[in-house]
C-alpha cells in the first residue's frame, strides 16, 4: 500500500497527539500541509513539521496534494469543515471527536 498523504486543519491543543500518531506510523502516512485560521499556530506547526502552512483551507486544498484531510478544529466547527471538504473537494475526512454537536449536523 502506498504512503497516504494527510493534510491537517486545526493546529490547537490536540495537534501534538496527531503528529505523534503520524510519526509513529510513517510507513503508512505522510503529512503534506497544516492549516489554521490563526497564522501563528499554523506557522509554528509548519516549523515543527517542515510542511507548508495555510490560514485558508481552500487555498491549502487547491495547492497541496492529499489523500485524507484530518480535522482538528474546535468541536463546534467540525461538521461545517467536514461537509465543506467532502462536498467541495471530495476528500475523505478524519474528524477529531465529536464528529458534530447535533444530530442534524451528523446527518449532513
Amino acid at each position: 500500500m502506498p504512503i497516504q498523504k494527510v493534510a491537517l486543519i486545526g493546529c490547537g491543543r490536540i495537534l501534538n497527539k496527531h503528529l505523534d500518531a503520524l510519526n509513529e506510523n510513517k510507513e503508512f502516512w505522510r503529512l503534506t500541509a497544516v492549516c489554521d485560521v490563526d497564522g501563528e499556530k499554523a506557522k509554528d506547526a509548519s516549523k515543527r513539521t517542515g510542511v507548508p502552512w495555510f490560514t485558508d483551507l481552500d487555498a491549502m486544498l487547491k495547492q497541496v496534494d492529499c489523500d485524507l484531510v484530518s480535522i482538528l478544529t474546535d468541536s463546534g466547527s467540525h461538521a461545517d469543515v467536514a461537509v465543506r471538504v467532502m462536498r467541495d473537494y471530495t476528500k475523505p475526512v478524519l474528524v477529531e471527536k465529536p464528529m458534530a454537536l447535533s444530530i442534524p449536523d451528523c446527518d449532513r
Side-chain angles (χ1 to χ4, degrees), residues 2-108:
I3 295 175
Q4 300 295 296
K5 297 169 286 217
V6 181
L8 299 179
I9 300 176
C11 298
R13 292 178 299 158
I14 199 68
L15 175 69
N16 288 334
K17 291 198 180 286
H18 288 261
L19 293 178
D20 288 346
L22 288 168
N23 283 328
E24 291 171 12
N25 294 281
K26 288 180 180 179
E27 68 273 22
F28 303 110
W29 305 100
R30 180 171 56 90
L31 185 62
T32 58
V34 293
C35 180
D36 197 291
V37 294
D38 181 330
E40 291 303 314
K41 287 182 180 179
K43 278 193 247 183
D44 181 56
S46 173
K47 285 178 189 173
R48 293 172 43 210
T49 61
V51 299
W53 64 274
F54 297 84
T55 56
D56 179 87
L57 73 90
D58 292 304
M60 179 182 75
L61 293 173
K62 288 176 183 173
Q63 294 178 42
V64 174
D65 184 28
C66 65
D67 302 304
L68 174 73
V69 177
S70 187
I71 300 172
L72 316 178
T73 59
D74 61 283
S75 298
S77 68
H78 286 175
D80 289 339
V81 175
V83 168
R84 188 169 160 198
V85 170
M86 289 184 289
R87 181 194 62 221
D88 296 349
Y89 298 95
T90 62
K91 297 285 185 186
V93 298
L94 172 68
V95 182
E96 176 64 29
K97 66 181 183 179
M99 179 176 80
L101 298 180
S102 69
I103 298 297
D105 276 347
C106 289
D107 290 341
R108 286 193 299 141

